Amino acid sequence: MTRRIKFFVASTSTCLVFVLLFGAMRGKSASPEDTYRHLAVYTEVLSRIKSDYVEEPDMKSVTLGALNGLLESIDPYASYLNADQYKQWLKSKDQHKADVGLILSKKFGYVGIVDSVPGSPAAKAGLSTTDVIETINGVATRDMPLAFAQLLLEGDPGSTVELGVLRFRKPEPQKLTLTRAMVEYPAVTAKMLPDQVGLIQAESLDGSRVKDVAAKVEDLQKQGAKELVLDLRHCATGSPEAGEQLANVFLDKGLITYSEGQKVERHDVTADAANDRTHLPLVVIVNRGTADGAEIAAAALMDDKRAELVGERTYGDASIRKPIQMDDGSAVILSVAKYYSPSGKAIQDTGVTPSVPIQEAEPVTVDDDGNPQAVEPPQQPAGEDLLLKKAIEVVTKGKSEVVSNSSGDANAPKGNQPNLTPLNVPKPATAPPQ
């Protein structure tokens, strides 16, 4: 299709999304007749596009774009798979294949990167939260189902996959060839810093790593640690249950999280004093690559006043998902329940905003045609870890002079960064228009 038709398809799909969303929201309180009336509007719009547009568009693309736009607008981790794709997904979902180590979500209609697993082929190539994948083996990712994109990245060890990636320092998409490998998640590490501050770094909560964190906590206490820093940056792998268990390592009472959905009853998870390992002062570091179970732990520790949270707002991914099969064999993989912080915020909707935030401008925007466009992110002095430096300052002084906006504030704007005092981080420079 020409650029004009592509733009038209994208715009039309967006309009159809709003029609469907409006109908869905009205459908909760309106009569069945109102719901069907909104569906009739959707059908009429499709008919008018087909009969009256200056050129006959690809109706399959229009409809698919509307479906994927609808899903992305309510759930960036949702996927619509046609019958063949769903069969392939079912066949491979329990197989442990080689991969490139990317955690994905939808962003601007494309496949976005939540983060890359430290030490993986993707991490070695420098792929991070700021990047957007435009193509996988030459296939455009716009309107590509998220679950299908993950399938394309998997394969035999030693095989390669070519990605077209928009990176924040490159105005044009960059071609990368990654070699698939069996991805291993990083081990938990710990060390004693000056002034008897114990540092624990967990870049994954997969497997038995929560038990490893508990063991590191006990070991640091035996070494004489007076304060603890828990570094959860780039910790995007690990189940919600692992996040609950991690919070309980530092909590002896209180609500950790709860899950709830339209058809899923509320389920509260509270701390068990038997699993608590320390009462030492604690600071948790997070960034935009912190996701899923790590977010649940971070939110619980901050809301329950157990720890200060330092860094960037987390990515926003904590839900219960399941595939829902359609009559034609296709399926929607959808969140059926969300996890909430103790203060009642849906983590998937807002992420977790630190009590001591460091502002970082969004490094990827979109142009007038809806295509991702790069901007330059803030820089920090070479070799200096500003977030760790601030975490140590907070945990040793007990209180920070940085303006705080706790996630317990029910009046905080949804999805927006709070007002704050930045740590002398230069403002980002926007890349020249493409």
Side-chain angles (χ1 to χ4, degrees), residues 187-201:
V188 176
T189 62
K191 62 182 176 180
M192 189 71 79
L193 301 177
D195 299 322
Q196 294 178 289
V197 176
L199 172 64
I200 303 167
Q201 294 174 298

Side-chain angles (χ1 to χ4, degrees), residues 401-429:
E401 296 179 355
V402 178
V403 177
S404 172
N405 183 9
S406 170
S407 71
D409 180 6
N411 296 317
K414 180 177 179 180
N416 292 323
Q417 292 281 10
N419 295 325
L420 51 89
T421 302
L423 303 178
N424 298 320
V425 178
K427 294 182 179 180

